[in-house]
Amino acid sequence: MTNGSSFNEFLLLTFADTRELQLLHFSLFLGIYLAALLGNGLIITAIACDHRLHTPMYFFLLNLSLLDLGSVSTTVPKSMANSLWDTRAISYLGCAAQVFFFFFLCSAEFSLLTVMAYDRFVAICRPLHYGIIMGSRACVQMAAAAWASGFLYALLHTANTFSIPLCQGNTVDQFFCEVPQILKLSCSDSYLRELGLIVVSACLFFGCFVFIVVTYVQIFTAVLRIPSEQGRHKAFSMCLPHLAVVSLFVSTGTFACLKPPSISSPAVDLVVAVLYVVVPPAVNPLIYSMRNKELKEAVKKLIQRVQGQHQ
């Protein structure tokens, strides 16, 4: 095999060899996937249907749920189908599509989390100017910028990755088409282009991360100055879920990229991939709804409305 065009499919890593364990993997992933669909679907529908939640904070949360739905749907269904049908194959175009949508949705999500940190900052540190700064037009523009930056970033990564000649076979040691695993199949120095792109990406990622950290330092400094305990509690309730989601996203993604080679093995890589690909989209709705009374009430009303229609 001299390049990627000489074969029309990749072989993904399976979770298990025995049929029983394959079906167990299918069942576990199905449960997590349904939880992600249900949780994010409820948040999207509740925000869309409840006029009280038509505020910048919930507008960004709706976008975050859409991105979570997309990212978990990019990788999990194919892995489930492979386990169910006892196969490892993914088409060349399917693999390219996975890489594109995964980068698109994940990079757009991190951009959106950065925008959401700015929204919290304005709400707490510049409350009198919040309506002017975070107007509906500005919010749409910021959300659109997050989606557009993710699209361009994914286009660049995908085109770069699949232009690299591959001659080390077509076996990808991961349950989805992960770029570092695809680069291992390269047989030329052209992979250095992708590594250079990854370094640039890491710098941009670090810049966004620093912005979020600095923003939260200013937020917590302002919160601690609030005289009333109720006001401080409300501010913390607004910020902590977002901070928890950012921490989960950053910690799992960073560990996946920077884990020491000494602990790297197919089993460890598989577990880490599940932690940063599958878990966050399923857990994020729980994190956001746990301390948010308005959202919980909206979801309750939505469920009651649905139950009433079926009675």
Side-chain angles (χ1 to χ4, degrees):
M1 293 180 187
T2 56
N3 56 50
S5 61
S6 62
F7 54 87
N8 57 14
E9 69 177 19
F10 289 93
L11 298 178
L12 299 176
L13 186 68
T14 55
F15 275 82
D17 295 327
T18 63
R19 191 65 186 144
E20 291 77 11
L21 289 176
Q22 286 174 346
L23 292 175
L24 177 63
H25 157 242
F26 170 80
S27 302
L28 288 173
F29 263 36
L30 178 62
I32 295 172
Y33 185 56
L34 290 176
L37 289 181
L38 179 63
N40 288 292
L42 280 173
I43 286 178
I44 291 167
T45 310
I47 293 172
C49 294
D50 196 323
H51 293 287
R52 294 175 305 165
L53 301 184
H54 291 179
T55 63
M57 183 175 84
Y58 292 109
F59 169 72
F60 292 131
L61 180 54
L62 182 146
N63 277 267
L64 183 70
S65 291
L66 285 171
L67 289 168
D68 278 337
L69 273 181
S71 65
V72 77
S73 297
T74 299
T75 55
V76 172
K78 180 59 181 174
S79 180
M80 286 164 50
N82 280 0
S83 287
L84 187 62
W85 304 116
D86 192 19
T87 181
R88 297 172 58 193
I90 181 171
S91 68
Y92 187 85
L93 287 176
C95 189
Q98 262 198 356
V99 169
F100 174 79
F101 283 108
F102 184 72
F103 270 109
F104 169 37
L105 296 161
C106 287
S107 54
E109 181 163 338
F110 192 60
S111 298
L112 190 69
L113 288 171
T114 307
V115 170
M116 290 172 78
Y118 178 68
D119 172 63
R120 301 298 191 277
F121 168 78
V122 176
I124 292 171
C125 301
R126 303 283 188 274
L128 297 178
H129 301 96
Y130 185 77
I132 298 171
I133 298 172
M134 301 301 293
S136 57
R137 187 175 179 181
C139 290
V140 170
Q141 287 174 340
M142 284 188 275
W147 285 83
S149 64
F151 179 84
L152 293 173
Y153 179 70
L155 201 62
L156 190 62
H157 253 302
T158 308
N160 205 33
T161 300
F162 287 91
S163 66
I164 295 172
L166 306 176
C167 65
Q168 303 289 333
N170 64 339
T171 302
V172 179
D173 290 331
Q174 193 52 271
F175 73 92
F176 69 104
C177 287
E178 190 180 46
V179 168
Q181 300 297 335
I182 296 173
L183 292 181
K184 289 180 181 179
L185 306 178
S186 170
C187 55
S188 72
D189 291 336
S190 55
Y191 76 92
L192 292 173
R193 289 180 305 168
E194 180 64 16
L195 288 179
L197 190 57
I198 289 172
V199 170
V200 172
S201 305
C203 293
L204 293 172
F205 177 87
F206 184 70
C208 289
F209 178 68
V210 169
F211 176 84
I212 292 172
V213 170
V214 171
T215 298
Y216 267 100
V217 168
Q218 295 181 63
I219 287 172
F220 287 132
T221 302
V223 168
L224 293 173
R225 291 197 195 118
I226 296 174
S228 70
E229 187 177 339
Q230 187 178 359
R232 286 197 300 272
H233 178 75
K234 185 177 180 181
F236 277 124
S237 296
M238 185 193 299
C239 294
L240 289 178
H242 176 255
L243 197 57
V245 168
V246 170
S247 300
L248 181 65
F249 186 89
V250 171
S251 60
T252 53
T254 302
F255 183 73
C257 295
L258 302 178
K259 64 181 181 297
S262 58
I263 66 167
S264 186
S265 69
V268 172
D269 291 347
L270 201 61
V271 171
V272 171
V274 170
L275 285 176
Y276 84 89
V277 174
V278 182
V279 173
V283 172
N284 286 352
L286 188 63
I287 292 173
Y288 269 107
S289 60
M290 204 178 291
R291 300 192 60 168
N292 192 315
K293 286 184 180 179
E294 289 178 333
L295 189 58
K296 281 196 282 191
E297 286 175 7
V299 170
K300 267 185 194 175
K301 284 183 180 178
L302 179 65
I303 294 171
Q304 287 170 356
R305 193 183 305 169
V306 171
Q307 287 175 339
Q309 290 174 350
H310 284 82
Q311 286 177 355

